[in-house]
Amino acid sequence: MTTNSAVVLADAASYAAAVEEATRAAAAYYATGESTLDDDAYDRLARGIAAYEEEHPQEVLAGSPTGKVAGGTATGDVPHTVPMLSLDNVFSAEQFVTWTASVERRIGRPVTAWSVEPKLDGLAVAVRYHEGRLQQLITRGDGTAGEDVSHAIGTVLGLPERLEDPVTLEVRGEILMTDEQFDAANAARTAHGAAPFANPRNGAAGTLRAKDRPYRVEMTFFAYGALALPGSGGLAETLTGLPHSEILRYVAGLGVHTAADTAVAPRTAATAEEVRAGVEDIAAQRATLPFGIDGIVIKADLAADQRDAGTGTRAPRWAIAYKLPAVEKVTRLLGVEWNVGRTGIIAPRAVLEPVEIDGSTVSYATLHNPADITRRDLRLGDRVMVYKAGDIIPRIEAPVAHLRTGDEKPIEFPESCPRCGSAIDTGEQRWRCTRGRDCRLVASVSYAAGRDQLDIEGLGGTRVVQLVDAGFVTDFADLFTLERDQLLGLERMGETSTDNLLAAIETARTRPLSRVFCALGVRGTGRSMSRRIARHFATMDRIVAADAEALQQVDGIGKEKAAGVVSELAELAPLVAKLVAAGVNMTEPGATPPPEPGAVREEEAEAGEGAAAGGRPEGLPLDGMTVVVTGAMTGALEKLSRNEMNELIERAGGKSSSSVSKRTSLLVAGEKAGSKRTKAEDLGVRIAEPAEFAEMVGSFLG
């Protein structure tokens, strides 16, 4: 989780400068989202200010953001019926335990129910309904009054114009942009000559307040609470006594959008340990969510506990934000490298001024394609917003346009292939060398022969270069037609090394379909996806014959990726035909192909049940289980690579995963298992030693 680092302020002058900088940044942040500081930098500055003030209370400046909603910079002229406050933060499990103890001391009893929910990275708003009709939309402002932004009604998904019941109440929540809405917003802005938003929060802040734009931008609302308004009748008494979790369910029943139908749905917990498990689970989903979160909100669920804990001037004492590590920071774009992939794709890569994000130093980021650079109006020297979450490759969201100095320079695009000098096919968004895979033939063949693909021992990069230079190999299918005399004619190839290489190639001929498909290097697929595709279709001819709709039945393949796979398989058809002619295996052991549309397999008709969806027969030892492997394997598993372990798991009916969460069924823990074992123990996940796991899947160990 996030460390509690803070900017160190040595004297009154540095403190005053920090207050000025924080106030200026907060004012821009709450006005348009265009702060001069990213969230992590602002948090560290604010903590430094608070620490200085704690040590020097006599020097506290009136303009300090400490203890103020929105840093004391936001304003509004629409009074809130009940103050709309911020949340205090914790940054570690230890701080959270200390906070829960303070809540229980304050109320004089243990808290028996906690609510755990995502902290959405948007703008807090109050939404007023009168007799079931949407009437007014108000920003949080300074907590006592906000700005009327009702002109945005109609652009916010999740806020029905009419509720299911004709009640009068105020729903509070966050307005944000999903990733899809953010991309659509920037496409609309750049099409109209405007600078793209730097990040989704910037987009939501700017859009919520904008009027009379010549284009429409959508946002999404997520409710996190509700309260009765004057004229609501008995609803006030009802809501006052309901637990927070029941209020969310009530609001959802009225038709208002909540996080209940997402992967990070609010949940209740009875103990601090259960809360921590909920925090870990939501944090684990962060990288895959279609919207941003920057933490987890924990609240005392019962109304009585909230009442007895009380509320401060800035934040309630019964709720806290457990902040997650920053995944977004501002740094400088120093240059652009143009790299050619093994399929001939010419991919730009951003060279960045190094910046630490989520515990690692980021010096490079993906730029996708030349059209993406143009659309985002990126320039050398730009201050850019860089995003990283989980294991995702860092990417640049957009330039922070308001920080430009005028010294930025255009990015130059290559006029010919940076690797071989051939022409470039610019007909699609992703540029490609006209020689395609031939541009990177050595890389393509070396990849196919790699350990996680065909695993041809003795065929390293130097040997591949020899084969290509001699004209023996024009694609990796040619490996299977190599003759002994050809190899003996190569430099440093004696009889023993030749025979060993031919034996390794012969073994590769029998590899399972999943490895052969992975060796093809189809864009958008890798080791895990290749296994899923092979398990689903069972044979290569079924994969090649599949259309985009059929491919979308495979877990993790969407419409766009499916179309790309179909297109590339058509291009690879001659290579697949050569592999078939060379006698390379084209089936996946243990996989059962899906039935033809409208067909019923004979065994299903007889038994009333058959192979599981996706080509996996029932009754396998790991059927329906999500398995994580960590640490060094021993015994029968000692020589298996991590990819081979994942293959073993999937052959045995399970699903391999790289992270432990409450959805994990089994952790295979080898020597030096480390933090994953600790987390599994905390979550109550079943743990198996390598020997026990080998016994479980014994019949699948080949």
Side-chain angles (χ1 to χ4, degrees):
M1 293 296 178
T2 308
T3 60
N4 193 24
S5 61
V7 172
V8 177
L9 304 176
D11 51 34
S14 60
Y15 163 70
V19 168
E20 182 180 354
E21 183 178 12
T23 302
R24 184 170 58 249
Y29 182 83
Y30 288 102
T32 64
E34 295 182 339
S35 173
T36 53
L37 302 174
D38 56 52
D39 286 353
D40 184 62
Y42 179 83
D43 283 346
R44 290 190 295 107
L45 187 63
R47 291 197 294 274
I49 290 170
Y52 186 88
E53 291 174 349
E54 187 174 350
E55 293 184 11
H56 307 87
Q58 72 282 1
E59 297 180 23
V60 175
L61 296 174
S64 169
T66 306
K68 298 174 183 176
V69 175
T73 62
T75 58
D77 54 8
V78 181
H80 291 302
T81 52
V82 174
M84 197 169 180
L85 304 180
S86 299
L87 290 170
D88 288 330
N89 301 322
V90 294
F91 299 88
S92 66
E94 294 74 20
Q95 291 179 358
F96 171 68
V97 170
T98 300
W99 176 79
T100 57
S102 70
V103 174
E104 293 181 340
R105 282 197 305 272
R106 185 175 293 276
I107 67 176
R109 59 182 179 275
V111 173
T112 57
W114 298 99
S115 175
V116 184
E117 56 199 77
K119 184 177 183 295
L120 300 161
D121 194 10
L123 292 90
V125 294
V127 187
R128 293 178 179 174
Y129 282 90
H130 180 70
E131 296 181 353
R133 283 187 170 277
L134 180 53
Q135 185 180 62
Q136 198 172 28
L137 194 59
I138 309 161
T139 66
R140 179 167 58 187
D142 64 0
T144 60
E147 178 185 352
D148 190 321
V149 287
S150 300
H151 60 267
I153 292 174
T155 65
V156 183
L157 304 183
L159 284 177
E161 292 188 14
R162 184 184 290 272
L163 300 177
E164 293 294 325
D165 294 327
V167 293
T168 297
L169 84 168
E170 179 174 294
V171 180
R172 292 184 172 181
E174 296 274 331
I175 286 180
L176 53 75
M177 279 186 181
T178 64
D179 295 343
E180 184 177 353
Q181 289 170 337
F182 175 65
D183 288 340
N186 273 348
R189 282 179 66 78
T190 54
H192 284 81
F197 293 123
N199 55 28
R201 193 196 183 284
N202 170 290
T207 300
L208 188 62
R209 292 177 172 84
K211 298 180 180 179
D212 302 323
R213 276 182 175 165
Y215 53 90
R216 176 186 171 90
V217 173
E218 286 188 341
M219 298 169 286
T220 298
F221 176 82
F222 286 88
Y224 61 62
L227 54 94
L229 292 172
S232 61
L235 182 63
E237 185 176 349
T238 300
L239 291 180
T240 300
L242 281 179
H244 170 71
S245 55
E246 291 293 333
I247 290 176
L248 289 183
R249 279 191 280 273
Y250 172 74
V251 168
L254 293 174
V256 178
H257 191 215
T258 72
D261 58 350
T262 71
V264 287
R267 72 285 312 264
T268 54
T271 65
E273 290 72 23
E274 290 182 7
V275 170
R276 199 165 73 188
V279 167
E280 295 286 353
D281 181 59
I282 292 176
Q285 308 301 319
R286 185 186 196 186
T288 62
L289 295 175
F291 50 81
I293 65 172
D294 59 357
I296 294 93
V297 177
I298 301 122
K299 302 174 181 176
D301 192 47
L302 300 182
D305 288 344
Q306 294 181 9
R307 181 187 63 245
D308 293 346
T311 300
T313 57
R314 177 185 178 275
R317 298 190 178 97
W318 44 266
I320 201 77
Y322 196 135
K323 295 297 288 288
L324 295 175
V327 294
E328 190 175 68
K329 286 192 176 180
V330 175
T331 189
R332 194 175 301 279
L333 176 61
L334 302 179
V336 174
E337 296 177 349
W338 297 89
N339 301 312
V340 183
R342 64 176 181 275
T343 63
I345 292 294
I346 300 171
R349 183 173 75 158
V351 182
L352 305 172
E353 190 173 279
V355 60
E356 186 171 325
I357 307 178
D358 196 13
S360 61
T361 300
V362 173
S363 301
Y364 300 95
T366 182
L367 287 175
H368 301 297
N369 54 63
D372 187 63
I373 293 174
T374 301
R375 182 173 66 83
R376 297 178 190 274
D377 187 28
L378 288 168
R379 306 171 193 174
L380 297 180
D382 263 335
R383 301 278 285 179
V384 293
M385 189 70 72
V386 181
Y387 180 84
K388 176 179 179 286
D391 295 326
I392 295 176
I393 298 171
R395 68 175 184 265
I396 289 177
E397 294 282 18
V400 186
H402 64 279
L403 295 181
R404 279 180 171 159
T405 63
D407 294 330
E408 296 78 17
K409 299 178 180 178
I411 294 172
E412 294 185 4
F413 293 176
E415 296 181 357
S416 59
C417 174
R419 182 171 183 85
C420 70
S422 299
I424 297 176
D425 179 359
T426 61
E428 297 183 9
Q429 282 197 337
R430 300 182 74 184
W431 291 7
R432 192 179 188 189
C433 174
T434 53
R435 294 183 63 205
R437 282 176 165 77
D438 289 344
C439 177
R440 289 291 305 274
L441 179 57
V442 170
S444 179
V445 174
S446 296
Y447 170 80
R451 183 177 182 186
D452 290 332
Q453 289 70 246
L454 297 176
D455 193 14
I456 303 178
E457 189 173 349
L459 191 60
T462 301
R463 191 70 70 210
V464 172
V465 170
Q466 283 183 297
L467 293 170
V468 170
D469 287 347
F472 297 157
V473 170
T474 59
D475 55 45
F476 79 86
D478 288 337
L479 296 172
F480 298 100
T481 59
L482 287 173
E483 297 179 359
R484 193 169 189 269
D485 289 345
Q486 289 178 311
L487 295 178
L488 286 172
L490 297 177
E491 187 178 351
R492 295 190 301 279
M493 281 295 284
E495 292 190 0
T496 300
S497 56
T498 293
D499 291 341
N500 287 341
L501 179 55
L502 287 172
I505 291 173
E506 193 60 33
T507 300
R509 201 189 304 269
T510 65
R511 299 288 184 211
L513 172 61
S514 56
R515 285 175 169 259
V516 177
F517 187 84
C518 190
L520 292 174
V522 177
R523 286 170 286 174
T525 66
R527 294 171 299 182
S528 178
M529 182 59 71
S530 294
R531 287 196 299 270
R532 275 181 254 164
I533 291 172
R535 298 291 297 174
H536 183 87
F537 291 103
T539 66
M540 180 67 87
D541 59 349
R542 287 188 176 90
I543 297 176
V544 172
D547 58 16
E549 184 176 354
L551 276 165
Q552 288 178 66
Q553 302 306 308
V554 179
D555 182 30
I557 296 187
K559 184 176 181 180
E560 184 176 345
K561 180 177 286 188
V565 172
V566 168
S567 174
E568 189 153 0
L569 283 174
E571 180 183 316
L572 289 167
L575 175 58
V576 173
K578 284 181 68 174
L579 291 168
V580 171
V584 175
N585 173 61
M586 292 291 168
T587 62
E588 184 70 7
T592 304
E596 296 297 324
V600 179
R601 288 195 297 268
E602 182 179 344
E603 62 270 27
E604 289 179 332
E606 292 178 354
E609 58 182 20
R616 187 184 68 200
E618 293 184 353
L620 298 176
L622 302 180
D623 188 42
M625 298 176 67
T626 298
V627 183
V628 177
V629 179
T630 188
M633 296 295 104
T634 55
L637 308 178
E638 184 175 8
K639 294 184 179 180
L640 297 185
S641 67
R642 191 63 87 232
N643 188 46
E644 289 169 331
M645 282 291 294
N646 291 338
E647 288 180 344
L648 175 61
I649 290 165
E650 295 185 12
R651 284 202 306 274
K655 178 181 178 182
S656 61
S657 177
S658 60
S659 60
V660 176
S661 72
K662 72 175 185 179
R663 293 178 175 81
T664 304
S665 310
L666 178 70
L667 176 73
V668 184
E671 295 177 353
K672 299 180 180 179
S675 60
K676 288 185 180 179
R677 179 167 192 143
T678 302
K679 185 174 180 180
E681 291 170 345
D682 291 343
L683 294 175
V685 172
R686 178 184 172 188
I687 299 174
E689 303 297 327
E692 180 186 352
F693 183 73
E695 187 175 344
M696 291 173 64
V697 298
S699 61
F700 293 88
L701 276 169

